[in-house]
Amino acid sequence: MRVYGFLFVVIIVIILICIACGKGEASDKPELTVKQLEEFYPGNMSNVDRIEIRSGSTGALKVVNDKQLAQDWLAKVRHMKLTPDSNQEGRTGYSFYVDLFEGQDKKLRFLPNEIAGNYYIYSEELAKAIRGLFQSP
Protein backbone atom coordinates (compact mmCIF):
# COMPACT_ATOMS: atom_id res chain seq x y z
CA MET A 1 0.00 0.00 0.00
CA ARG A 2 2.89 2.37 0.72
CA VAL A 3 4.16 1.93 -2.85
CA TYR A 4 0.81 3.06 -4.28
CA GLY A 5 0.77 6.10 -2.00
CA PHE A 6 4.29 7.03 -3.07
CA LEU A 7 3.44 6.62 -6.78
CA PHE A 8 0.31 8.74 -6.32
CA VAL A 9 2.35 11.59 -4.78
CA VAL A 10 4.97 11.39 -7.56
CA ILE A 11 2.29 11.53 -10.27
CA ILE A 12 0.60 14.52 -8.61
CA VAL A 13 3.94 16.37 -8.36
CA ILE A 14 4.70 15.72 -12.06
CA ILE A 15 1.25 16.95 -13.09
CA LEU A 16 1.65 20.13 -11.02
CA ILE A 17 5.07 20.82 -12.54
CA CYS A 18 3.68 20.40 -16.08
CA ILE A 19 0.76 22.72 -15.36
CA ALA A 20 3.03 25.39 -13.82
CA CYS A 21 5.47 25.30 -16.77
CA GLY A 22 2.69 25.55 -19.34
CA LYS A 23 1.12 28.64 -17.77
CA GLY A 24 4.42 30.51 -17.53
CA GLU A 25 5.05 30.38 -21.27
CA ALA A 26 1.65 31.75 -22.22
CA SER A 27 1.85 34.74 -19.90
CA ASP A 28 5.43 35.85 -20.67
CA LYS A 29 4.47 38.30 -23.45
CA PRO A 30 1.16 40.01 -24.02
CA GLU A 31 -0.62 39.30 -27.28
CA LEU A 32 0.42 41.76 -29.98
CA THR A 33 -2.27 43.60 -31.91
CA VAL A 34 -2.44 45.99 -34.85
CA LYS A 35 -1.67 49.50 -33.58
CA GLN A 36 -1.16 52.95 -34.95
CA LEU A 37 2.32 54.38 -34.50
CA GLU A 38 1.10 57.01 -32.04
CA GLU A 39 -0.25 54.29 -29.72
CA PHE A 40 3.34 53.28 -28.92
CA TYR A 41 4.28 56.77 -27.80
CA PRO A 42 4.42 57.16 -24.01
CA GLY A 43 2.57 60.43 -23.60
CA ASN A 44 1.43 63.10 -26.02
CA MET A 45 3.16 62.98 -29.40
CA SER A 46 2.44 66.72 -29.79
CA ASN A 47 5.25 67.35 -27.30
CA VAL A 48 7.95 65.93 -29.60
CA ASP A 49 10.37 68.73 -30.41
CA ARG A 50 13.29 66.81 -31.94
CA ILE A 51 13.67 63.80 -34.23
CA GLU A 52 16.88 61.91 -34.88
CA ILE A 53 17.18 59.44 -37.74
CA ARG A 54 20.17 57.10 -38.09
CA SER A 55 20.93 55.39 -41.40
CA GLY A 56 21.84 51.74 -41.03
CA SER A 57 23.76 51.65 -44.31
CA THR A 58 25.97 54.74 -43.85
CA GLY A 59 25.72 55.45 -40.13
CA ALA A 60 24.82 59.07 -40.94
CA LEU A 61 22.63 60.93 -38.47
CA LYS A 62 19.93 63.44 -39.41
CA VAL A 63 18.71 65.69 -36.60
CA VAL A 64 15.47 67.64 -36.97
CA ASN A 65 15.47 70.40 -34.33
CA ASP A 66 12.62 72.40 -35.87
CA LYS A 67 9.56 71.48 -33.76
CA GLN A 68 7.12 72.52 -36.51
CA LEU A 69 8.88 70.34 -39.09
CA ALA A 70 8.93 67.46 -36.61
CA GLN A 71 5.21 67.87 -35.89
CA ASP A 72 4.35 68.14 -39.60
CA TRP A 73 6.19 64.87 -40.26
CA LEU A 74 4.58 63.15 -37.27
CA ALA A 75 1.15 64.25 -38.53
CA LYS A 76 1.85 62.18 -41.68
CA VAL A 77 3.01 59.03 -39.88
CA ARG A 78 1.24 58.95 -36.51
CA HIS A 79 -1.82 57.08 -37.82
CA MET A 80 0.09 54.49 -39.85
CA LYS A 81 -0.94 51.01 -38.73
CA LEU A 82 1.61 48.40 -37.76
CA THR A 83 0.69 44.73 -37.94
CA PRO A 84 2.54 42.27 -35.67
CA ASP A 85 4.80 39.79 -37.42
CA SER A 86 4.05 36.20 -36.45
CA ASN A 87 7.82 35.59 -36.43
CA GLN A 88 9.19 37.32 -33.33
CA GLU A 89 12.71 35.86 -33.62
CA GLY A 90 15.52 38.38 -33.22
CA ARG A 91 16.97 40.14 -36.25
CA THR A 92 20.07 42.11 -37.10
CA GLY A 93 20.59 45.23 -39.17
CA TYR A 94 18.25 48.10 -40.01
CA SER A 95 17.67 50.59 -42.80
CA PHE A 96 16.84 53.50 -40.49
CA TYR A 97 15.83 54.00 -36.91
CA VAL A 98 14.00 57.01 -35.55
CA ASP A 99 14.30 58.51 -32.07
CA LEU A 100 11.65 60.93 -30.82
CA PHE A 101 12.60 63.44 -28.12
CA GLU A 102 10.94 65.84 -25.73
CA GLY A 103 13.76 68.18 -24.75
CA GLN A 104 16.68 65.92 -23.84
CA ASP A 105 14.46 62.92 -23.02
CA LYS A 106 14.33 60.18 -25.64
CA LYS A 107 10.72 58.98 -25.53
CA LEU A 108 10.54 56.40 -28.32
CA ARG A 109 12.75 54.57 -30.81
CA PHE A 110 11.27 52.73 -33.76
CA LEU A 111 12.18 51.12 -37.06
CA PRO A 112 9.86 50.40 -39.99
CA ASN A 113 9.53 46.85 -38.65
CA GLU A 114 10.28 47.01 -34.92
CA ILE A 115 9.04 48.94 -31.91
CA ALA A 116 9.63 48.28 -28.22
CA GLY A 117 11.37 44.95 -28.85
CA ASN A 118 8.51 43.55 -30.93
CA TYR A 119 8.57 42.92 -34.66
CA TYR A 120 5.96 44.12 -37.14
CA ILE A 121 5.39 43.51 -40.83
CA TYR A 122 7.81 45.84 -42.65
CA SER A 123 5.95 49.04 -43.48
CA GLU A 124 7.16 50.35 -46.84
CA GLU A 125 4.94 53.41 -46.32
CA LEU A 126 6.66 54.22 -43.01
CA ALA A 127 10.12 53.47 -44.46
CA LYS A 128 9.40 55.84 -47.37
CA ALA A 129 8.34 58.60 -44.96
CA ILE A 130 11.48 58.10 -42.86
CA ARG A 131 13.70 58.10 -45.94
CA GLY A 132 12.01 61.29 -47.17
CA LEU A 133 12.65 63.14 -43.91
CA PHE A 134 16.21 61.81 -43.74
CA GLN A 135 16.98 63.04 -47.27
CA SER A 136 15.25 66.40 -46.89
CA PRO A 137 17.44 69.53 -46.74
Side-chain angles (χ1 to χ4, degrees):
M1 208 53 171
R2 284 182 155 174
V3 172
Y4 292 116
F6 177 76
L7 286 176
F8 179 76
V9 170
V10 169
I11 291 172
I12 295 297
V13 168
I14 291 172
I15 290 172
L16 290 174
I17 290 172
C18 290
I19 290 171
C21 290
K23 286 184 180 176
E25 292 174 16
S27 64
D28 284 345
K29 275 200 163 185
E31 185 176 335
L32 299 175
T33 59
V34 175
K35 287 185 176 181
Q36 293 181 4
L37 181 60
E38 73 179 341
E39 292 180 76
F40 293 97
Y41 193 79
N44 187 344
M45 207 175 244
S46 299
N47 295 329
V48 171
D49 56 10
R50 186 171 94 230
I51 298 174
E52 294 183 2
I53 304 173
R54 174 80 62 186
S55 168
S57 59
T58 65
L61 177 67
K62 166 84 175 213
V63 179
V64 177
N65 285 313
D66 180 334
K67 182 173 181 174
Q68 188 58 52
L69 179 60
Q71 286 300 315
D72 290 346
W73 185 78
L74 287 170
K76 295 176 190 174
V77 300
R78 72 187 324 141
H79 297 295
M80 289 184 182
K81 291 185 179 177
L82 298 166
T83 303
D85 191 333
S86 59
N87 178 4
Q88 290 293 312
E89 293 179 22
R91 298 162 197 181
T92 58
Y94 59 91
S95 54
F96 294 98
Y97 69 74
V98 178
D99 289 327
L100 303 179
F101 289 84
E102 291 181 21
Q104 295 301 312
D105 297 329
K106 181 173 28 174
K107 302 299 261 181
L108 180 67
R109 172 176 284 178
F110 63 90
L111 291 77
N113 68 330
E114 188 258 322
I115 298 180
N118 295 307
Y119 295 99
Y120 294 82
I121 303 298
Y122 184 83
S123 172
E124 186 59 46
E125 181 183 20
L126 180 56
K128 184 177 177 181
I130 295 169
R131 196 174 308 108
L133 182 60
F134 183 80
Q135 294 172 344
S136 68

